[in-house]
Amino acid sequence: MEQIKRFVKKFRFISYRVAFLYMVIVIFMMLQIGYQFHLLVQGLAPLWPLITMTLATVLFLLYVFGRIAAPYQRSEKFVRRFLDGYVMTDFKEYQLPLLTPNTEMQLEKMEQIFHSPKVFDLNKRQAQYLALQNQINPHFLYNTLESIRSEALIAGLDSVADMTEALATFFRYTISKVENLVSVEEELENCKTYFRIQQYRFGSRLQMHIDYREEEWEEIIHCRIPKLTLQPILENSIIHGTELKIGTGNLRIQFERTERRLIIRISDDGIGMDENTLLELNKKLRKDSSAVSYQQSETKGGIALANVNNRIHLIFGEEYGMHVYSIEGEGTDVEIVLPAIMSDREIKNRGIFQ
Amino acid sequence: MRKEIFRMERVSYQENGIMMLEDFNLNVMEGEIMGFLPVNSYGMSAFLRLLKTNLSLEDGHIYYHEELINSWKESRRNNNRITVIQNRSCLVEGMTVADNIFVLRQGFKKNLIQPAVLRKQLEPFLQDIGVNISADAYVEKLSAFERILVELLKGIVAGHRLIVLCETSTLISGDELRKLHHIMHHYAGQGYAFLYIGSHYEDILQICDRAVLMSNGRIEKVLQPREMFAENLLCAQEYDKMVRGYLNDKRNNVKLGKQACAFYGEIPLMKDPLRFQVLQGECIAIQCLNNRIYHDMCQILLEEEQAFHWHLSMEDRGEKIQGNRKAAVIQEQCTHTMLFPELNYMDNLCFNLDKRMKNVWLTGNIRKSIRQEYGKILGEDVFATPIDELHERQKYQLVYSRILLQKPKVVFCIQPFKGADMQHRMLIWELLEQFLERGIAVVILAVNLADTLSLADRLICLDKGKAQKEYSREDFASIPVLAPWLYLYREEKREKE
């Protein structure tokens, strides 16, 4: 009884009604083949109606499978992923089968919404919020920091002056630099500044190493990456990885360049994370945690990584992004894969920010 | 700038609704030998299937030569230009080496096959790697090492830039492995990339530039060149600790009993007959440096009909191995070869008890008490589980518990660690240690030493045309091959000095 109820309930959907209709047609055709075969055996009909009927059934089945069932399954997969929260950036690329002209328009509208500058700006601002936590008037901040630095120099407190200078440089990059894509060199410089500030806190307990292949370095530093890609991850590594570790913490930023990709790996030898936390984190990175669904991610933690990853998805597409490897007690590696973009022309050619 | 040969980007793959690979990331660069260490075998076969064929993905993208070949959006189900060399040969039997390499190649269009031309074409490839294999030899006649090389050459000739070697170290001897490593480095220098899959991290650390650690269908860690040390592998540390503890105990309190058995056998390829005695609680490793000798030894242990003379004596009486309950044989890949799916768990467990407890099949009380005793160790639920549905770990436990119940004087194990992942290697090691603790002598027959040195008290090496060579535990440090666990003995020697 329960099964019948469930079956009837499914009939609310047109897809089930269409599938049922096809089933009825196929059964009817099979019966026809059987009937024709019976007539042939009895010697009451020639061979050609049986051949025609069989051919028609095979062609019908092939058509239904190739042109309706398979595209429908693809479309279902797309919708399921969308509902699961995966990032969908380029709707046209998926070549979805469309039900009506209105469905096409509906998809175009969705694409416009997801590609709107507002969504991207919202994500970018989140990154700034994460860095600053509060909106502060930048000029007031720089002037104040400059005053502190002068006072410190007069008082002979060189370390305070240096720290203040680093802080001002860091804020200037974070708040005032307006470009969305910056060079690896600039981003790395910001990381070094941030690390300088942190070293005043941790001293020799914290070490940073930068690894690269000498022959690739010239090209790597000119690659363009989204602003504030590295520093939030470095910050995460310090706060959640090495800070809680007993003894010296080592941070490592490794760059690798292939023909089409730039691979950046930020590693720490801190406390790592357990399997479930890692699974959750990677799941979040795989799926959409954009500003549109921000509320959800905020409650579950890992905002900085999700934010950086989301900006990468929005700018370059879902093929690129971030993945975290970690073993509890051993450390964590964050691997970022980006397209190797060297010039503004390439940005234009790829249609980024258009 | 290096080229990326292969990349799997956040791949999730399901089979029958079960997630086999999740968030799987892997990249192999040009000229790189990438190690692949599965901590457990979950998802391993699915991964190999995905390497060979572009199957439908749940999520993620796969690139070959930086070109997209498979993604969750579209899977063409075509084969990839990747060579996967496994335990089982993929060469066509009944055809020659040259035919397999050239004629079965994709794009071979000649209608008339000229063996002389093929022979000539193959020659530079063989010269290049310094190997002598007859182009006209039938592939079924090749040794395991030659078969691996032919498959490798087949991939190279076909222009496959990624070659996957899966558990090859368990198939070939130490010398052959060294040659294979040399050949791999040679081709890596020419830009070919290798994915070297093996459960023995010692192997991987020796040859690979980088390595990944896979567990439960996910990549847990990527070891960078600077991290290629056993200390960076948590699972390796655990195993290392276990073995060190055992060796320290053994050093401090050696308790070997009286003689368990003596063996004498005329092995055709050897100069002198093989002769050894094994004591109760002693472990002997027999390494066959030649595949024919290995097959002859397997024949002695497994087959009734013998082509040559051998003799096993226990308590001064001549004994047979087959059907003898005082001797047991654990076959290669025992979870596949020694379990009977049509029987239930209890029947599988008590299978060898007929001589020790004559009424085992008549009275339920014996089986009940066995169940009570072993239920605590094996878990109560396994008794109700069909054999096919047992986990690999439970299968190993079943096979070894059966032998423990049988209580033989000597156990012959044929390559016990073959095909086992890291976690299962540790389990097998523990189970073998249990045999030794109970005074059962263990004779391990192996092509590759694998983990045997960690347990062995003596090592006997057998080679073609030579007399047997014997090393005692004190001499292990001076064994001239690179084998897992040797470092423990070398450390010990250094400490003594």
Side-chain angles (χ1 to χ4, degrees):
Chain A
M1 199 61 192
E2 195 60 38
Q3 275 183 335
I4 298 170
K5 265 187 191 171
R6 233 181 287 151
F7 186 72
V8 172
K9 215 173 173 185
K10 278 178 180 173
F11 255 69
R12 286 180 302 143
F13 304 108
I14 291 175
S15 58
Y16 281 88
R17 292 179 204 170
V18 172
F20 182 73
L21 185 68
Y22 282 131
M23 239 155 62
V24 170
I25 294 171
V26 170
I27 291 168
F28 176 73
M29 289 173 112
M30 299 299 271
L31 284 173
Q32 271 297 315
I33 292 171
Y35 179 62
Q36 290 298 332
F37 184 72
H38 173 73
L39 290 179
L40 183 73
V41 172
Q42 296 288 319
L44 299 171
L47 183 64
W48 67 264
L50 177 68
I51 296 173
T52 318
M53 206 59 218
T54 313
L55 268 175
T57 310
V58 170
L59 286 175
F60 178 74
L61 283 173
L62 283 176
Y63 181 81
V64 168
F65 182 76
R67 306 294 298 172
I68 297 170
Y72 171 75
Q73 274 179 344
R74 213 167 65 230
S75 168
E76 274 291 288
K77 194 173 180 182
F78 171 84
V79 176
R80 208 174 56 235
R81 282 173 65 88
F82 181 70
L83 293 174
D84 277 354
Y86 280 85
V87 183
M88 298 284 171
T89 44
D90 198 347
F91 290 82
K92 274 182 198 140
E93 200 193 314
Y94 302 126
Q95 295 177 334
L96 292 172
L98 300 163
L99 197 62
T100 64
N102 281 343
T103 325
E104 189 172 25
M105 280 161 65
Q106 183 192 347
L107 273 181
E108 276 171 9
K109 192 76 190 164
M110 272 166 74
E111 190 168 1
Q112 274 173 20
I113 294 168
F114 278 94
H115 270 171
S116 79
K118 274 181 193 166
V119 174
F120 182 77
D121 285 349
L122 220 53
N123 277 279
K124 198 178 133 199
R125 201 156 300 152
Q126 276 169 17
Q128 292 170 347
Y129 285 158
L130 288 167
L132 292 167
Q133 293 295 327
N134 288 305
Q135 278 275 9
I136 305 163
N137 183 336
H139 293 292
F140 170 69
L141 185 75
Y142 304 147
N143 293 341
T144 313
L145 288 170
E146 198 48 49
S147 311
I148 296 170
R149 186 171 170 261
S150 313
E151 287 296 319
L153 281 173
I154 291 163
L157 300 166
D158 288 351
S159 60
V160 176
D162 184 52
M163 204 170 154
T164 319
E165 192 194 0
L167 199 62
T169 315
F170 175 73
F171 281 140
R172 208 164 278 135
Y173 180 83
T174 309
I175 305 166
S176 303
K177 197 167 170 63
V178 289
E179 293 99 321
N180 288 315
L181 293 184
V182 295
S183 71
V184 168
E185 196 176 18
E186 288 170 294
E187 189 65 9
L188 193 60
E189 209 48 57
N190 184 47
C191 282
K192 285 178 184 166
T193 312
Y194 174 76
F195 183 74
R196 216 167 88 204
I197 298 166
Q198 287 291 10
Q199 260 201 325
Y200 279 104
R201 193 176 147 206
F202 293 100
S204 58
R205 255 190 68 207
L206 199 64
Q207 302 287 330
M208 187 167 83
H209 315 269
I210 296 161
D211 285 350
Y212 51 85
R213 286 162 75 96
E214 207 63 60
E215 65 270 24
E216 288 171 1
W217 187 235
E218 211 31 58
E219 285 191 339
I220 287 169
I221 54 168
H222 292 117
C223 281
R224 310 289 292 270
I225 61 172
K227 185 186 147 189
L228 290 175
T229 301
L230 304 184
Q231 182 272 327
I233 299 167
L234 195 69
E235 187 177 332
N236 243 37
S237 296
I238 295 172
I239 295 167
H240 301 295
T242 46
E243 190 180 338
L244 306 168
K245 186 192 167 190
I246 300 163
T248 308
N250 287 292
L251 299 163
R252 201 172 284 272
I253 308 177
Q254 191 187 332
F255 294 91
E256 208 172 345
R257 166 91 155 86
T258 72
E259 262 179 14
R260 296 192 185 172
R261 287 183 182 80
L262 174 70
I263 303 161
I264 307 169
R265 206 170 288 111
I266 300 171
S267 317
D268 67 70
D269 57 359
I271 55 162
M273 62 185 95
D274 63 79
E275 206 178 333
N276 287 337
T277 315
L278 179 70
L279 261 175
E280 271 301 308
L281 182 59
N282 276 324
K283 201 167 162 187
K284 193 185 279 179
L285 294 177
R286 215 166 59 216
K287 295 180 178 180
D288 186 10
S289 53
S290 64
V292 184
S293 54
Y294 188 65
Q295 210 54 40
Q296 188 198 352
S297 21
E298 199 172 25
T299 52
K300 289 185 179 173
I303 310 163
L305 294 184
N307 180 279
V308 174
N309 188 55
N310 202 51
R311 276 186 294 136
I312 295 170
H313 279 163
L314 285 169
I315 299 170
F316 303 120
E318 49 129 11
E319 288 162 55
Y320 304 97
M322 187 189 289
H323 185 80
V324 183
Y325 303 92
S326 185
I327 296 180
E328 205 171 358
E330 294 261 296
T332 304
D333 300 335
V334 180
E335 190 179 85
I336 311 165
V337 181
L338 298 160
I341 297 174
M342 304 285 289
S343 62
D344 288 339
R345 216 171 71 186
E346 261 183 89
I347 298 173
K348 214 173 165 185
N349 288 346
R350 282 172 178 260
I352 296 166
F353 302 120
Q354 279 177 8
Chain B
M1 182 194 322
R2 286 199 298 174
K3 272 186 194 156
E4 196 176 53
I5 299 290
F6 186 73
R7 166 171 285 271
M8 285 173 92
E9 184 83 43
R10 276 168 293 160
V11 169
S12 294
Y13 171 67
Q14 282 189 1
E15 271 176 8
N16 304 321
I18 300 164
M19 194 64 90
M20 301 308 289
L21 301 177
E22 197 177 359
D23 248 330
F24 195 94
N25 279 266
L26 176 75
N27 77 320
V28 187
M29 309 295 277
E30 188 182 49
E32 184 177 44
I33 301 175
M34 171 67 115
F36 191 101
L37 185 74
V39 176
N40 52 43
S41 53
Y42 187 87
M44 197 58 217
S45 49
F47 168 63
L48 290 174
R49 270 194 290 282
L50 265 187
L51 281 177
K52 288 182 204 164
T53 316
N54 291 316
L55 301 167
S56 177
L57 303 179
E58 199 58 25
D59 193 22
H61 304 81
I62 302 179
Y63 302 86
Y64 181 73
H65 258 279
E66 307 216 28
E67 296 291 341
L68 187 69
I69 53 167
N70 193 5
S71 78
W72 68 267
K73 290 176 221 162
E74 196 187 8
S75 303
R76 285 184 219 135
R77 293 190 164 266
N78 57 338
N79 289 335
N80 289 324
R81 294 172 63 77
I82 295 172
T83 296
V84 180
I85 302 172
Q86 282 175 280
N87 252 342
R88 224 174 47 197
S89 166
C90 71
L91 301 174
V92 179
E93 289 192 3
M95 291 182 88
T96 64
V97 168
D99 288 345
N100 264 284
I101 293 177
F102 294 104
V103 181
L104 298 179
R105 195 182 72 214
Q106 235 179 6
F108 183 83
K109 284 181 184 138
K110 279 185 184 171
N111 293 322
L112 199 66
I113 298 162
Q114 294 167 285
V117 175
L118 297 184
R119 225 173 288 141
K120 217 170 178 182
Q121 280 181 336
L122 183 62
E123 217 176 273
F125 286 100
L126 293 172
Q127 274 175 2
D128 193 27
I129 53 172
V131 173
N132 189 18
I133 302 173
S134 166
D136 299 322
Y138 285 97
V139 290
E140 58 270 29
K141 303 268 181 212
L142 299 176
S143 68
F145 177 60
E146 287 170 336
R147 194 262 297 172
I148 289 169
L149 290 187
V150 171
E151 286 191 39
L152 178 73
L153 283 178
K154 193 177 168 187
I156 300 281
V157 170
H160 296 181
R161 304 303 288 187
L162 177 65
I163 290 154
V164 182
L165 290 142
C166 190
E167 292 286 354
T168 41
S169 65
T170 54
L171 300 172
I172 55 179
S173 67
D175 271 352
E176 289 170 336
L177 189 65
R178 220 175 5 222
K179 268 185 216 161
L180 180 69
H181 287 182
H182 179 73
I183 292 167
M184 283 166 71
H185 277 302
H186 172 76
Y187 281 120
Q190 290 179 15
Y192 290 92
F194 288 88
L195 186 66
Y196 191 77
I197 303 172
S199 307
H200 294 270
Y201 62 87
E202 305 86 353
D203 263 358
I204 287 174
L205 296 177
Q206 252 177 51
I207 184 179
C208 299
D209 305 312
R210 286 192 300 151
V212 291
L213 208 71
M214 185 182 99
S215 170
N216 299 324
R218 286 189 299 274
I219 296 294
E220 278 207 333
K221 189 166 174 71
V222 183
L223 291 177
Q224 300 301 325
R226 61 169 193 281
E227 297 170 318
M228 293 292 280
F229 302 106
E231 296 83 62
N232 287 314
L233 297 165
L234 206 62
C235 49
Q237 282 174 26
E238 207 181 313
Y239 199 3
D240 184 87
K241 203 173 150 189
M242 204 165 85
V243 173
R244 271 178 200 273
Y246 170 78
L247 291 179
N248 277 336
D249 275 0
K250 193 111 189 171
R251 242 171 261 147
N252 298 334
N253 105 68
V254 186
K255 287 189 290 189
L256 293 179
K258 53 185 182 179
Q259 181 183 307
C261 77
F263 183 93
Y264 170 89
E266 282 173 2
I267 314 289
L269 284 184
M270 284 184 61
K271 195 179 158 195
D272 298 321
L274 169 66
R275 201 190 294 263
F276 65 85
Q277 291 179 349
V278 53
L279 306 177
Q280 286 174 355
E282 187 186 25
C283 177
I284 295 188
I286 300 180
Q287 189 191 16
C288 303
L289 298 169
N290 180 286
N291 273 302
R292 254 308 282 288
I293 295 176
Y294 171 70
H295 286 297
D296 289 343
M297 285 299 292
C298 288
Q299 203 193 2
I300 288 174
L301 298 177
L302 299 172
E303 290 174 24
E304 288 263 1
E305 294 291 316
Q306 301 293 335
F308 34 82
H309 174 70
W310 64 270
H311 182 82
L312 180 78
S313 65
M314 287 175 175
E315 294 156 358
D316 297 329
R317 274 205 314 270
E319 299 272 1
K320 281 172 97 178
I321 296 176
Q322 293 79 18
N324 185 350
R325 295 289 183 254
K326 283 187 212 156
V329 180
I330 297 179
Q331 296 179 31
E332 209 174 285
Q333 292 182 312
C334 61
T335 53
H336 299 285
T337 51
M338 289 184 70
L339 293 176
F340 303 94
E342 61 277 14
L343 300 180
N344 65 25
Y345 191 92
M346 199 60 194
D347 291 347
N348 265 288
L349 184 66
C350 302
F351 197 73
N352 290 347
L353 271 183
D354 52 342
K355 294 243 168 90
R356 198 178 149 207
M357 295 169 192
K358 287 213 166 50
N359 293 333
V360 66
W361 302 113
L362 296 173
T363 53
N365 284 347
I366 298 175
R367 273 176 288 158
K368 205 174 157 188
S369 61
I370 289 172
R371 186 174 171 153
Q372 266 178 359
E373 188 189 338
Y374 278 82
K376 287 173 202 157
I377 308 162
L378 306 168
E380 263 304 319
D381 51 332
V382 290
F383 291 96
T385 314
I387 299 299
D388 285 337
E389 288 170 27
L390 290 173
H391 298 307
E392 198 68 3
R393 183 182 179 84
Q394 292 167 333
K395 286 182 181 175
Y396 276 115
Q397 282 177 324
L398 173 56
V399 173
Y400 282 77
S401 300
R402 182 201 290 168
I403 307 289
L404 269 181
L405 261 175
Q406 183 190 333
K407 217 176 173 187
K409 286 196 180 309
V410 57
V411 180
F412 293 93
C413 303
I414 305 174
Q415 302 230 69
F417 299 99
K418 185 177 174 181
D421 60 38
M422 194 73 186
Q423 283 175 351
H424 292 134
R425 277 168 62 196
M426 286 164 73
L427 174 72
I428 295 166
W429 192 92
E430 279 173 359
L431 292 167
L432 286 173
E433 196 203 341
Q434 270 183 39
F435 288 161
L436 298 173
E437 261 178 20
R438 294 188 186 199
I440 301 170
V442 175
V443 179
I444 299 173
L445 185 67
V447 174
N448 193 293
L449 283 174
D451 294 279
T452 45
L453 274 194
S454 58
L455 275 169
D457 296 293
R458 274 187 291 151
L459 169 71
I460 299 174
C461 296
L462 311 180
D463 203 358
K464 190 181 169 184
K466 290 180 188 168
Q468 71 185 59
K469 209 168 188 181
E470 199 168 318
Y471 299 91
S472 66
R473 189 181 275 271
E474 291 73 39
D475 303 328
F476 282 179
S478 55
I479 292 174
V481 290
L482 277 171
W485 303 111
L486 261 186
Y487 67 93
L488 288 181
Y489 297 100
R490 289 184 178 156
E491 271 175 25
E492 189 191 331
K493 195 182 172 187
R494 271 199 299 272
E495 274 170 28
K496 275 182 189 169
E497 282 167 3

